Amino acid sequence: MIRSEPPVRTCTGCGRKAPQEELLRFVADGSELRSSPRGPGRGAYTCRRLACFERAVARRAFARTLRRAVHVDPALARLYTRTR
Ligand SMILES: [Zn+2]
């Protein structure tokens, strides 16, 4: 019997692996980073924690994962719930 496992992706912030549905997905739209829950193209993922987004930005991990220079709009932080 073959079970289909949910796809696992890696957070670009902390490196944690998690089911894709638990993570936020981003793509490069030209040179802008955009939130894109699904769709074609290479995606970069983070946990739903602001800390992971901030760490990914600080490390330029989105650009590394997407293999192109992307501008990260700080307003994307609104996608996250602040944890403490
Ligand atoms: Zn993370």
Side-chain angles (χ1 to χ4, degrees):
M1 175 176 156
I2 298 171
R3 270 186 36 179
S4 74
E5 300 285 340
V8 170
R9 295 292 182 267
T10 304
C11 170
T12 53
C14 69
R16 187 174 74 100
K17 288 181 166 44
Q20 185 175 337
E21 63 205 25
E22 284 184 20
L23 304 174
L24 288 175
R25 179 177 186 266
F26 296 91
V27 297
D29 179 6
S31 60
E32 274 300 311
L33 189 72
R34 294 216 192 285
S35 168
S36 177
R38 55 187 59 82
R42 173 175 287 272
Y45 297 82
T46 72
C47 308
R48 295 177 184 273
R49 295 191 306 155
L50 188 59
C52 287
F53 175 74
E54 289 176 339
R55 195 194 292 199
V57 172
R59 292 175 164 184
R60 301 183 186 282
F62 288 117
R64 201 159 56 231
T65 302
L66 297 169
R67 295 182 182 164
R68 66 164 74 195
V70 286
H71 172 253
V72 181
D73 185 343
L76 289 170
R78 73 176 183 277
L79 297 168
Y80 295 84
T81 49
R82 200 170 273 279
T83 55
R84 52 186 192 140

Coordinates of all heavy atoms in Angstrom, one line a residue:
M1 N 0.8 -1.2 0.0 CA 0.0 0.0 0.0 C 0.9 1.2 0.0 O 1.8 1.4 0.8 CB -0.9 0.0 1.3 CG -1.7 1.2 1.4 SD -2.8 1.0 2.9 CE -3.1 2.7 3.2
I2 N 0.5 2.2 -0.9 CA 1.3 3.4 -1.0 C 0.6 4.5 -0.3 O -0.6 4.8 -0.7 CB 1.6 3.7 -2.5 CG1 2.4 2.6 -3.1 CG2 2.3 5.1 -2.6 CD1 2.5 2.7 -4.6
R3 N 1.2 5.1 0.6 CA 0.6 6.3 1.3 C 1.3 7.6 0.7 O 2.5 7.6 0.5 CB 0.9 6.3 2.8 CG -0.1 5.6 3.6 CD 0.2 5.7 5.1 NE 0.7 7.1 5.3 CZ 1.1 7.5 6.5 NH1 0.9 6.7 7.6 NH2 1.6 8.7 6.7
S4 N 0.5 8.5 0.4 CA 1.1 9.8 -0.1 C 1.3 10.7 1.1 O 0.4 11.1 1.8 CB 0.2 10.4 -1.1 OG -0.9 11.0 -0.6
E5 N 2.6 11.0 1.3 CA 3.0 11.9 2.3 C 2.8 13.4 1.9 O 3.1 13.6 0.7 CB 4.5 11.7 2.7 CG 4.7 10.3 3.2 CD 4.2 10.0 4.6 OE1 4.0 11.0 5.3 OE2 4.0 8.9 5.0
P6 N 2.5 14.3 2.8 CA 2.5 15.7 2.3 C 3.9 16.1 2.0 O 4.8 15.7 2.7 CB 1.9 16.4 3.6 CG 2.1 15.5 4.7 CD 2.1 14.1 4.1
P7 N 4.0 17.0 1.1 CA 5.4 17.5 0.7 C 6.0 18.2 1.9 O 5.3 19.0 2.6 CB 5.2 18.4 -0.5 CG 3.7 18.7 -0.5 CD 3.0 17.6 0.2
V8 N 7.3 18.0 2.1 CA 8.0 18.6 3.2 C 8.9 19.7 2.6 O 9.6 19.5 1.6 CB 8.8 17.6 4.0 CG1 9.8 18.2 4.9 CG2 7.9 16.6 4.7
R9 N 8.9 20.9 3.2 CA 9.8 21.9 2.8 C 10.6 22.4 4.0 O 10.3 22.2 5.1 CB 8.9 23.1 2.2 CG 8.1 22.8 1.0 CD 9.1 22.5 -0.2 NE 8.3 22.2 -1.4 CZ 8.0 21.0 -1.8 NH1 8.4 20.0 -1.1 NH2 7.4 20.8 -3.0
T10 N 11.7 23.2 3.6 CA 12.6 23.7 4.7 C 12.4 25.2 4.9 O 12.4 25.9 3.9 CB 14.0 23.4 4.2 OG1 14.2 22.0 4.0 CG2 15.0 23.8 5.3
C11 N 12.3 25.6 6.1 CA 12.2 27.0 6.4 C 13.5 27.7 6.1 O 14.6 27.3 6.5 CB 11.9 27.2 7.9 SG 12.0 28.9 8.5
T12 N 13.4 28.8 5.3 CA 14.7 29.5 5.0 C 15.2 30.3 6.2 O 16.3 30.8 6.1 CB 14.4 30.5 3.8 OG1 13.4 31.3 4.1 CG2 14.1 29.8 2.5
G13 N 14.4 30.5 7.2 CA 14.9 31.2 8.4 C 15.7 30.3 9.4 O 16.8 30.6 9.7
C14 N 15.0 29.3 9.8 CA 15.6 28.4 10.9 C 16.1 27.1 10.4 O 16.7 26.4 11.1 CB 14.6 28.3 12.0 SG 13.2 27.3 11.6
G15 N 15.7 26.7 9.2 CA 16.2 25.4 8.7 C 15.3 24.2 9.1 O 15.6 23.1 8.7
R16 N 14.2 24.5 9.8 CA 13.3 23.4 10.2 C 12.6 22.9 9.0 O 12.2 23.6 8.1 CB 12.3 24.0 11.2 CG 11.4 23.0 11.8 CD 10.5 23.6 12.9 NE 9.4 24.4 12.3 CZ 8.2 24.0 12.2 NH1 7.8 22.8 12.6 NH2 7.2 24.8 11.7
K17 N 12.4 21.6 9.0 CA 11.6 20.9 7.9 C 10.2 20.8 8.4 O 10.0 20.3 9.6 CB 12.2 19.6 7.5 CG 13.5 19.7 6.7 CD 14.0 18.4 6.4 CE 15.1 18.5 5.3 NZ 16.1 19.5 5.5
A18 N 9.2 21.0 7.6 CA 7.8 20.9 8.0 C 7.0 20.7 6.8 O 7.4 21.0 5.7 CB 7.4 22.2 8.7
P19 N 5.8 20.1 7.0 CA 4.9 19.9 5.9 C 4.6 21.3 5.2 O 4.5 22.3 5.9 CB 3.6 19.4 6.5 CG 4.1 18.8 7.8 CD 5.2 19.6 8.3
Q20 N 4.6 21.3 3.9 CA 4.4 22.5 3.1 C 3.3 23.4 3.6 O 3.4 24.6 3.7 CB 4.3 22.2 1.7 CG 4.2 23.4 0.8 CD 4.2 22.9 -0.7 OE1 4.6 21.8 -1.1 NE2 3.7 23.8 -1.5
E21 N 2.2 22.7 4.0 CA 1.0 23.5 4.4 C 1.2 24.3 5.7 O 0.4 25.2 6.0 CB -0.2 22.5 4.5 CG 0.0 21.5 5.6 CD -0.8 20.2 5.4 OE1 -1.2 20.0 4.2 OE2 -1.1 19.6 6.4
E22 N 2.2 23.9 6.5 CA 2.4 24.6 7.7 C 3.3 25.9 7.5 O 3.4 26.7 8.4 CB 3.2 23.8 8.7 CG 2.4 22.7 9.4 CD 3.2 22.0 10.4 OE1 4.2 22.5 10.9 OE2 2.8 20.9 10.8
L23 N 3.8 26.0 6.3 CA 4.8 27.1 6.0 C 4.2 28.1 5.1 O 3.2 27.9 4.4 CB 6.0 26.5 5.4 CG 6.7 25.4 6.2 CD1 7.8 24.8 5.3 CD2 7.2 25.9 7.5
L24 N 4.7 29.3 5.2 CA 4.4 30.4 4.2 C 5.3 30.3 3.0 O 6.5 30.1 3.1 CB 4.5 31.8 4.9 CG 3.5 32.1 6.0 CD1 3.9 33.4 6.6 CD2 2.1 32.2 5.4
R25 N 4.7 30.5 1.9 CA 5.5 30.3 0.6 C 5.6 31.7 0.0 O 4.7 32.5 -0.1 CB 4.7 29.4 -0.3 CG 5.4 29.2 -1.7 CD 4.7 28.1 -2.5 NE 5.3 27.8 -3.7 CZ 5.1 28.4 -4.9 NH1 4.2 29.4 -5.0 NH2 5.8 28.1 -6.0
F26 N 6.8 31.9 -0.6 CA 7.1 33.1 -1.3 C 7.8 32.8 -2.6 O 8.4 31.8 -2.8 CB 8.1 34.0 -0.5 CG 7.6 34.5 0.8 CD1 7.7 33.7 2.0 CD2 6.8 35.7 0.9 CE1 7.2 34.2 3.2 CE2 6.3 36.1 2.1 CZ 6.5 35.4 3.2
V27 N 7.5 33.7 -3.6 CA 8.2 33.5 -4.9 C 8.8 34.9 -5.3 O 8.4 35.9 -4.7 CB 7.2 33.1 -6.0 CG1 6.6 31.7 -5.7 CG2 6.1 34.1 -6.1
A28 N 9.7 34.9 -6.2 CA 10.2 36.1 -6.8 C 9.4 36.5 -7.9 O 9.2 35.8 -8.9 CB 11.7 35.9 -7.2
D29 N 8.8 37.7 -7.8 CA 8.0 38.3 -8.9 C 8.9 39.4 -9.5 O 8.9 40.5 -9.0 CB 6.7 38.8 -8.4 CG 5.8 39.4 -9.4 OD1 6.2 39.4 -10.6 OD2 4.8 40.0 -9.1
G30 N 9.6 39.1 -10.5 CA 10.6 40.0 -11.0 C 11.7 40.1 -9.9 O 12.3 39.1 -9.5
S31 N 11.9 41.3 -9.4 CA 12.9 41.4 -8.3 C 12.2 41.7 -7.0 O 12.8 42.1 -6.0 CB 13.8 42.6 -8.6 OG 13.1 43.8 -8.8
E32 N 10.9 41.5 -6.9 CA 10.1 41.6 -5.6 C 9.8 40.3 -5.0 O 9.3 39.4 -5.8 CB 8.8 42.4 -5.9 CG 8.8 43.9 -5.9 CD 9.3 44.5 -4.6 OE1 8.8 44.1 -3.5 OE2 10.2 45.4 -4.7
L33 N 9.9 40.2 -3.7 CA 9.5 39.0 -3.1 C 8.0 39.1 -2.8 O 7.5 40.1 -2.3 CB 10.2 38.8 -1.7 CG 9.9 37.5 -1.0 CD1 10.7 36.4 -1.7 CD2 10.4 37.6 0.5
R34 N 7.2 38.1 -3.2 CA 5.8 38.1 -3.0 C 5.3 36.8 -2.3 O 5.9 35.7 -2.6 CB 5.1 38.2 -4.4 CG 5.3 39.5 -5.1 CD 4.1 40.0 -5.8 NE 4.4 41.1 -6.7 CZ 4.7 42.4 -6.3 NH1 4.6 42.6 -5.0 NH2 5.0 43.3 -7.1
S35 N 4.3 37.0 -1.5 CA 3.6 35.8 -0.9 C 2.8 35.1 -2.0 O 2.1 35.8 -2.8 CB 2.7 36.3 0.2 OG 1.8 35.3 0.6
S36 N 3.0 33.8 -2.1 CA 2.3 33.1 -3.1 C 2.0 31.7 -2.6 O 2.9 30.8 -2.7 CB 3.1 33.0 -4.4 OG 2.5 32.3 -5.4
P37 N 0.8 31.4 -2.0 CA 0.6 30.1 -1.4 C 0.8 29.0 -2.4 O 1.2 27.9 -2.0 CB -0.9 30.2 -1.0 CG -1.1 31.7 -0.8 CD -0.3 32.4 -1.9
R38 N 0.5 29.2 -3.6 CA 0.7 28.1 -4.6 C 1.0 28.8 -6.0 O 0.9 30.0 -6.1 CB -0.5 27.2 -4.7 CG -1.8 27.9 -5.0 CD -3.0 26.9 -4.9 NE -3.1 26.3 -3.6 CZ -3.6 26.9 -2.5 NH1 -4.2 28.1 -2.7 NH2 -3.7 26.3 -1.4
G39 N 1.4 27.9 -6.9 CA 1.7 28.5 -8.2 C 3.0 27.9 -8.7 O 3.7 27.2 -8.0
P40 N 3.3 28.2 -9.9 CA 4.5 27.7 -10.6 C 5.8 28.4 -10.1 O 5.7 29.4 -9.4 CB 4.3 28.0 -12.0 CG 3.5 29.2 -12.1 CD 2.6 29.1 -10.8
G41 N 6.9 27.8 -10.3 CA 8.1 28.4 -10.0 C 8.7 28.0 -8.7 O 8.1 27.3 -7.9
R42 N 9.9 28.4 -8.5 CA 10.7 28.1 -7.3 C 10.1 28.9 -6.1 O 9.9 30.1 -6.2 CB 12.1 28.4 -7.5 CG 13.0 28.3 -6.3 CD 14.4 28.5 -6.7 NE 15.0 27.4 -7.4 CZ 15.5 26.3 -6.9 NH1 15.7 26.3 -5.6 NH2 16.0 25.4 -7.6
G43 N 9.8 28.2 -5.0 CA 9.3 28.9 -3.9 C 10.3 28.9 -2.7 O 11.2 28.0 -2.6
A44 N 10.2 29.8 -1.8 CA 11.0 29.9 -0.6 C 10.0 29.8 0.5 O 8.9 30.5 0.5 CB 11.8 31.1 -0.5
Y45 N 10.3 29.1 1.6 CA 9.3 28.9 2.6 C 9.8 29.4 4.0 O 11.1 29.3 4.2 CB 9.0 27.4 2.8 CG 8.3 26.8 1.5 CD1 9.1 26.4 0.4 CD2 7.0 26.7 1.4 CE1 8.5 25.9 -0.7 CE2 6.4 26.1 0.3 CZ 7.2 25.8 -0.8 OH 6.6 25.3 -1.9
T46 N 8.9 29.8 4.8 CA 9.3 30.0 6.2 C 8.2 29.5 7.1 O 7.1 29.4 6.7 CB 9.5 31.5 6.5 OG1 8.2 32.2 6.6 CG2 10.4 32.3 5.6
C47 N 8.6 29.3 8.4 CA 7.6 29.0 9.4 C 6.7 30.2 9.5 O 7.0 31.3 9.1 CB 8.3 28.7 10.8 SG 9.6 27.6 10.8
R48 N 5.6 30.0 10.2 CA 4.6 31.1 10.4 C 5.0 31.9 11.7 O 4.2 32.2 12.5 CB 3.2 30.6 10.5 CG 2.7 29.9 9.3 CD 1.3 29.4 9.4 NE 0.9 28.7 8.2 CZ 0.3 29.3 7.2 NH1 0.1 30.6 7.2 NH2 0.0 28.6 6.1
R49 N 6.3 32.2 11.8 CA 6.8 32.9 12.9 C 7.6 34.1 12.4 O 8.4 34.0 11.5 CB 7.8 32.1 13.8 CG 7.1 30.9 14.4 CD 8.0 30.3 15.4 NE 9.3 30.0 14.8 CZ 10.4 29.9 15.5 NH1 10.5 30.1 16.8 NH2 11.6 29.6 14.9
L50 N 7.3 35.3 12.9 CA 8.0 36.5 12.4 C 9.5 36.3 12.6 O 10.3 36.8 11.8 CB 7.5 37.7 13.2 CG 7.9 39.1 12.7 CD1 7.5 39.3 11.3 CD2 7.4 40.2 13.6
A51 N 9.9 35.7 13.6 CA 11.4 35.5 13.9 C 12.0 34.8 12.7 O 13.2 35.2 12.3 CB 11.6 34.7 15.1
C52 N 11.4 33.9 12.1 CA 11.9 33.2 10.9 C 12.0 34.1 9.7 O 13.0 34.0 9.0 CB 11.1 31.9 10.6 SG 11.4 30.6 11.8
F53 N 11.0 34.9 9.5 CA 11.0 35.8 8.4 C 12.2 36.8 8.6 O 13.0 37.1 7.7 CB 9.7 36.6 8.3 CG 9.6 37.7 7.3 CD1 9.5 37.4 6.0 CD2 9.7 39.0 7.7 CE1 9.4 38.4 5.0 CE2 9.6 40.0 6.8 CZ 9.5 39.7 5.4
E54 N 12.3 37.3 9.8 CA 13.3 38.3 10.0 C 14.7 37.7 9.9 O 15.6 38.4 9.4 CB 13.2 38.9 11.4 CG 11.9 39.8 11.5 CD 11.7 40.4 12.9 OE1 12.1 39.8 13.9 OE2 11.0 41.4 13.0
R55 N 14.9 36.5 10.3 CA 16.2 35.8 10.2 C 16.5 35.6 8.7 O 17.6 35.8 8.2 CB 16.2 34.5 10.9 CG 17.6 34.0 11.1 CD 17.6 32.6 11.6 NE 17.1 32.4 12.9 CZ 17.4 31.4 13.7 NH1 18.2 30.4 13.2 NH2 16.9 31.2 14.9
A56 N 15.5 35.2 7.9 CA 15.7 34.9 6.5 C 16.1 36.2 5.8 O 16.9 36.2 4.9 CB 14.4 34.3 5.9
V57 N 15.4 37.3 6.2 CA 15.8 38.6 5.6 C 17.2 39.0 6.0 O 18.0 39.4 5.1 CB 14.8 39.7 6.1 CG1 15.3 41.1 5.6 CG2 13.4 39.4 5.5
A58 N 17.6 38.9 7.2 CA 18.9 39.3 7.7 C 20.0 38.5 7.0 O 21.1 39.0 6.7 CB 19.0 39.1 9.2
R59 N 19.7 37.2 6.7 CA 20.7 36.4 6.1 C 20.6 36.4 4.6 O 21.3 35.6 3.9 CB 20.5 34.9 6.6 CG 20.8 34.7 8.0 CD 20.4 33.3 8.4 NE 21.0 32.9 9.6 CZ 20.9 31.7 10.1 NH1 20.3 30.7 9.5 NH2 21.5 31.4 11.3
R60 N 19.7 37.2 4.0 CA 19.5 37.2 2.6 C 19.1 35.8 2.1 O 19.5 35.4 1.0 CB 20.7 37.7 1.8 CG 21.0 39.2 2.2 CD 22.2 39.7 1.4 NE 22.6 41.0 1.9 CZ 21.9 42.1 1.7 NH1 20.9 42.1 0.9 NH2 22.3 43.3 2.2
A61 N 18.5 35.0 2.9 CA 18.2 33.6 2.6 C 17.2 33.5 1.5 O 17.2 32.5 0.7 CB 17.7 32.9 3.8
F62 N 16.3 34.5 1.3 CA 15.3 34.4 0.2 C 16.0 34.4 -1.1 O 15.7 33.6 -2.0 CB 14.3 35.5 0.3 CG 13.3 35.4 1.5 CD1 13.2 36.3 2.5 CD2 12.4 34.3 1.5 CE1 12.3 36.2 3.5 CE2 11.5 34.2 2.5 CZ 11.4 35.1 3.6
A63 N 16.9 35.3 -1.2 CA 17.7 35.5 -2.5 C 18.5 34.2 -2.8 O 18.5 33.7 -3.9 CB 18.6 36.7 -2.4
R64 N 19.0 33.6 -1.7 CA 19.8 32.4 -1.9 C 18.9 31.3 -2.4 O 19.2 30.5 -3.3 CB 20.5 32.1 -0.6 CG 21.7 31.2 -0.8 CD 22.7 31.3 0.4 NE 22.0 31.0 1.6 CZ 22.1 31.8 2.7 NH1 22.7 32.9 2.7 NH2 21.4 31.4 3.8
T65 N 17.8 31.1 -1.7 CA 16.9 30.0 -2.1 C 16.3 30.2 -3.4 O 16.1 29.3 -4.2 CB 15.8 29.9 -1.0 OG1 16.4 29.8 0.3 CG2 14.8 28.8 -1.3
L66 N 15.9 31.5 -3.8 CA 15.2 31.7 -5.0 C 16.2 31.9 -6.2 O 15.8 32.0 -7.3 CB 14.3 33.0 -4.9 CG 13.2 32.8 -3.9 CD1 12.5 34.1 -3.6 CD2 12.2 31.8 -4.4
R67 N 17.5 32.0 -5.8 CA 18.6 32.1 -6.8 C 18.5 33.4 -7.6 O 18.7 33.4 -8.8 CB 18.6 30.9 -7.7 CG 19.0 29.6 -6.9 CD 19.1 28.4 -7.8 NE 19.4 27.2 -6.9 CZ 19.3 26.0 -7.4 NH1 18.9 25.8 -8.6 NH2 19.6 25.0 -6.6
R68 N 18.0 34.4 -7.0 CA 18.1 35.7 -7.7 C 18.0 36.8 -6.6 O 17.5 36.5 -5.5 CB 16.9 35.9 -8.7 CG 15.5 35.9 -8.0 CD 14.5 36.5 -9.0 NE 14.2 35.5 -10.0 CZ 13.6 35.8 -11.2 NH1 13.3 37.0 -11.4 NH2 13.3 34.9 -12.1
A69 N 18.4 38.0 -6.9 CA 18.3 39.1 -6.0 C 16.8 39.5 -5.9 O 16.2 39.8 -6.9 CB 19.2 40.3 -6.5
V70 N 16.3 39.5 -4.7 CA 15.0 40.0 -4.5 C 14.9 41.1 -3.4 O 15.7 41.1 -2.4 CB 14.0 38.8 -4.0 CG1 13.7 37.9 -5.2 CG2 14.6 38.1 -2.9
H71 N 14.0 42.0 -3.6 CA 13.8 43.1 -2.6 C 12.7 42.6 -1.7 O 11.6 42.1 -2.2 CB 13.3 44.4 -3.3 CG 12.8 45.4 -2.4 ND1 11.5 45.7 -2.2 CD2 13.5 46.2 -1.5 CE1 11.4 46.6 -1.3 NE2 12.6 46.9 -0.8
V72 N 12.9 42.7 -0.4 CA 11.9 42.2 0.5 C 11.2 43.4 1.1 O 11.8 44.2 1.8 CB 12.5 41.3 1.6 CG1 11.5 40.8 2.6 CG2 13.3 40.2 1.0
D73 N 9.9 43.5 0.8 CA 9.1 44.6 1.4 C 8.9 44.3 2.9 O 8.3 43.2 3.2 CB 7.8 44.6 0.7 CG 6.9 45.8 1.1 OD1 7.2 46.4 2.2 OD2 6.0 46.2 0.4
P74 N 9.3 45.2 3.8 CA 9.0 45.0 5.2 C 7.6 44.7 5.6 O 7.3 44.1 6.6 CB 9.6 46.2 5.9 CG 10.5 46.8 4.9 CD 10.0 46.5 3.5
A75 N 6.7 45.2 4.7 CA 5.2 45.0 5.0 C 4.8 43.5 4.9 O 3.8 43.2 5.5 CB 4.4 45.8 4.0
L76 N 5.7 42.7 4.4 CA 5.4 41.3 4.3 C 5.3 40.7 5.8 O 4.7 39.7 6.0 CB 6.4 40.5 3.5 CG 6.4 40.7 2.0 CD1 7.6 40.1 1.4 CD2 5.1 40.1 1.4
A77 N 5.9 41.4 6.7 CA 5.9 41.0 8.1 C 4.4 40.9 8.6 O 4.2 40.1 9.6 CB 6.7 41.9 9.0
R78 N 3.5 41.6 8.0 CA 2.1 41.5 8.4 C 1.5 40.1 8.2 O 0.4 39.8 8.8 CB 1.3 42.6 7.7 CG 1.0 42.2 6.3 CD 0.1 43.3 5.6 NE -0.2 42.9 4.3 CZ 0.5 43.1 3.2 NH1 1.6 43.8 3.4 NH2 0.2 42.7 2.0
L79 N 2.1 39.3 7.4 CA 1.6 37.9 7.2 C 1.8 37.0 8.4 O 1.3 36.0 8.5 CB 2.3 37.3 6.0 CG 2.1 38.0 4.6 CD1 3.1 37.4 3.6 CD2 0.7 37.8 4.2
Y80 N 2.7 37.5 9.3 CA 3.1 36.7 10.4 C 2.4 37.2 11.7 O 2.1 38.4 11.9 CB 4.6 36.8 10.6 CG 5.3 36.2 9.5 CD1 5.6 37.0 8.4 CD2 5.8 34.9 9.5 CE1 6.3 36.4 7.3 CE2 6.5 34.4 8.5 CZ 6.7 35.1 7.4 OH 7.4 34.6 6.3
T81 N 2.2 36.2 12.6 CA 1.7 36.6 13.9 C 3.0 36.7 14.8 O 3.9 35.9 14.7 CB 0.8 35.5 14.5 OG1 1.4 34.2 14.3 CG2 -0.5 35.5 13.8
R82 N 3.0 37.7 15.6 CA 4.2 38.0 16.4 C 4.1 37.0 17.6 O 3.1 36.8 18.2 CB 4.1 39.4 16.9 CG 5.5 39.9 17.4 CD 5.4 41.4 17.6 NE 5.7 42.2 16.4 CZ 6.9 42.5 16.0 NH1 7.9 42.0 16.6 NH2 7.0 43.2 14.9
T83 N 5.2 36.3 17.8 CA 5.3 35.4 18.9 C 6.4 35.9 19.9 O 7.3 36.6 19.5 CB 5.7 34.0 18.4 OG1 6.9 34.1 17.7 CG2 4.6 33.4 17.6
R84 N 6.2 35.5 21.1 CA 7.2 36.0 22.1 C 7.5 34.9 23.1 O 6.9 33.8 23.0 CB 6.8 37.2 22.8 CG 5.4 37.1 23.4 CD 5.0 38.4 23.9 NE 3.7 38.2 24.7 CZ 3.5 38.9 25.9 NH1 4.4 39.7 26.3 NH2 2.4 38.7 26.6
Ligands
ZN1 ZN 11.6 28.6 10.7

